[in-house]
């Protein structure tokens, strides 16, 4: 095993970046079939015994928060709302001392029903994926006729006080690349914060083509045709989104240019998959097995040491522009966002 860094109590890599943001995938399953994520028939899902139990998830989060300095926890998937124990997991994490900020990234299906219970359990906010406002396009993109349910989920999250409600949108050339202004207008009208995300090479089909990706510059050009945008003077920090004030503010819109405007130098994230594999980068090709260590009886100190050792070897960047870049074997649905 690679020696852990000497800095105690944090997750620091050899470039001095400190990981304080933990993304935890609760399941690889999803109730949509987005064309840029997975095939229509779905994928071979992880078997039950492979998944971390609720108690194992909470324990690993506790180690991250209390021993390794993590201050932000985001639950992802797949689709985290289909995890039966989600509300209990959120409640257990909210009870930790120190208490981390807790969020969920979801497709919004069922969020209108779950939002009050999640808020009561301690959830702070949500990110909801929404790539189009056109029902026919939504059905074509997701292979499910559920746009109304997503819109209801957004409204339910806002009503429950899960603010700010953030909306994540991916634009694809020739599919929905004409909808940037409409999506921003929708977000402004409802008080949501919109984030456009460049399409990334994380699809299960390995069919990603840079030529079909709508770039950050193209998104901004499209928005600027209808809105007055000025750079956000607020310090970005380690946030993945570059933000702009709309009409002078206070409303903002963000663009996450993972491919064309990489922010690897400020990355503060570490990731845990639903089957207990640790990933120090979204595009990592190697993982560290925490589930095996847990089930073999490792104590918290050993888990923390393994986590630090996996972090210290994190690469300088994702390497998408490198000719030797290899897309991760796992798709986004299995890694977690």
């Amino acid at each position: 095993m690679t020696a852990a860094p000497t800095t105690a109590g944090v997750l620091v890599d050899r470039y001095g970046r400190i990981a304080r943001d933990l993304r935890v995938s609760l399941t690889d399953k999803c109730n949509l079939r987005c064309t840029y994520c997975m095939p229509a028939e779905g994928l071979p899902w992880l078997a039950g015994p492979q998944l971390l139990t609720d108690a194992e998830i909470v324990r690993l989060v506790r180690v991250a928060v209390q021993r390794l300095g993590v201050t932000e926890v985001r639950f992802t998937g797949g689709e985290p709302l289909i995890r039966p124990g989600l509300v209990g997991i959120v409640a257990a994490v909210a009870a930790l001392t120190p208490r981390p900020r807790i969020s969920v990234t979801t497709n919004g299906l069922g969020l209108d029903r779950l939002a009050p219970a999640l808020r009561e359990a301690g959830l702070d906010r949500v990110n909801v994926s929404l790539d189009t406002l056109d029902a026919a396009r939504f059905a074509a993109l997701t292979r499910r006729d559920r746009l109304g349910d997503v819109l209801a989920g957004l409204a339910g999250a806002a009503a429950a006080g899960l603010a700010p409600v953030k909306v994540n949108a991916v634009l694809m050339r020739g599919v929905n690349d004409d909808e940037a202004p409409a999506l921003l207008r929708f977000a402004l009208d409802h008080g949501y914060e919109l984030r456009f995300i460049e399409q990334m090479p994380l699809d299960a089909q390995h069919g990603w083509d840079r030529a079909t990706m709508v770039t950050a510059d193209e998104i901004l050009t499209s928005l600027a045709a209808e809105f007055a945008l000025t750079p956000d003077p607020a310090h970005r920090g380690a946030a993945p989104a570059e933000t702009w004030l709309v009409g002078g503010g206070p409303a903002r819109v963000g663009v996450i240019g993972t491919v064309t405007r990489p922010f690897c130098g400020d990355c503060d994230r570490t990731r845990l998959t639903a089957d207990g594999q640790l990933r120090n980068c979204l595009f990592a090709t190697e993982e560290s097995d925490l589930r095996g260590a847990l089930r073999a009886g490792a104590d918290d100190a050993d888990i923390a040491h393994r986590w630090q050792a996996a972090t210290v070897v994190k690469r300088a960047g994702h390497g998408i522009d490198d000719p030797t870049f290899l897309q991760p074997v796992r798709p986004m649905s299995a890694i977690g966002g």
Side-chain angles (χ1 to χ4, degrees):
M1 179 184 296
T2 303
T6 56
T7 305
V10 295
L11 290 169
V12 61
D13 65 32
R14 55 191 163 181
Y15 301 101
R17 296 169 296 190
I18 297 175
R20 294 192 171 93
D21 184 332
L22 170 60
R23 307 294 172 95
V24 182
S25 176
L26 298 181
T27 178
D28 59 331
K29 295 179 181 177
C30 188
N31 42 13
L32 295 180
R33 296 290 182 271
C34 295
T35 56
Y36 56 84
C37 185
M38 66 176 69
E41 64 274 14
L43 297 166
W45 310 122
L46 292 167
Q50 294 177 279
L51 296 173
L52 292 174
T53 66
D54 293 0
E56 287 172 333
I57 290 170
V58 173
R59 181 183 170 196
L60 288 174
V61 173
R62 177 174 55 77
V63 170
V65 170
Q66 296 182 343
R67 290 178 175 261
L68 297 171
V70 164
T71 58
E72 301 269 345
V73 178
R74 169 100 49 101
F75 293 111
T76 69
E79 175 44 53
L81 297 192
I82 66 177
R83 173 96 183 199
L86 174 61
V87 172
I89 291 171
V90 169
V93 172
L96 293 176
T97 302
R99 183 198 188 282
R101 289 276 298 172
I102 309 168
S103 59
V104 163
T105 294
T106 171
N107 62 28
L109 300 186
L111 183 58
D112 55 328
R113 299 187 301 275
L114 274 175
L118 287 169
R119 179 60 175 158
E120 185 177 355
L123 188 68
D124 294 304
R125 65 171 191 83
V126 293
N127 284 50
V128 180
S129 299
L130 177 66
D131 302 324
T132 178
L133 296 167
D134 181 274
R137 277 185 180 176
F138 185 92
L141 270 170
T142 67
R143 302 185 178 99
R144 301 289 188 273
D145 187 12
R146 304 291 299 275
L147 176 61
D149 295 316
V150 177
L151 299 180
L154 282 164
L162 294 171
V165 175
K166 294 187 178 181
V167 176
N168 295 339
V170 176
L171 299 182
M172 290 149 284
R173 199 174 309 285
V175 178
N176 64 339
D177 54 336
D178 60 334
E179 286 199 65
L183 284 163
L184 179 52
R185 196 172 299 108
F186 166 80
L188 295 174
D189 288 346
H190 291 83
Y192 307 145
E193 292 190 12
L194 179 62
R195 298 289 185 268
F196 291 100
I197 305 174
E198 287 183 339
Q199 185 183 1
M200 294 177 282
L202 290 169
D203 58 305
Q205 305 93 310
H206 285 217
W208 180 83
D209 182 351
R210 186 168 184 146
T212 66
M213 179 192 72
V214 181
T215 67
D217 284 346
E218 290 174 304
I219 294 167
L220 290 169
T221 297
S222 177
L223 293 175
E226 299 190 29
F227 299 93
L229 303 179
T230 53
D232 188 347
H235 181 55
R236 178 182 178 184
E242 294 180 80
T243 54
W244 283 262
L245 301 179
V246 183
R252 292 171 169 82
V253 63
V255 178
I256 300 176
T258 306
V259 179
T260 66
R261 299 185 179 196
F263 42 89
C264 302
D266 294 313
C267 181
D268 68 343
R269 281 164 291 289
T270 181
R271 288 178 165 82
L272 185 66
T273 66
D275 57 346
Q277 305 305 302
L278 185 63
R279 299 176 65 88
N280 59 27
C281 174
L282 184 60
F283 298 95
T285 55
E286 296 180 347
E287 299 175 335
S288 300
D289 181 16
L290 293 188
R291 182 193 65 196
L294 274 180
R295 294 180 182 178
D299 62 17
D300 288 355
D302 185 32
I303 294 296
H305 177 86
R306 289 169 182 265
W307 209 319
Q308 289 181 304
T311 302
V312 76
V313 296
K314 183 174 180 174
R315 295 176 300 167
H318 56 46
I320 291 176
D321 284 329
D322 192 309
T324 63
F325 173 77
L326 294 176
Q327 181 173 335
V329 174
R330 287 200 198 229
M332 177 65 93
S333 61
I335 295 173

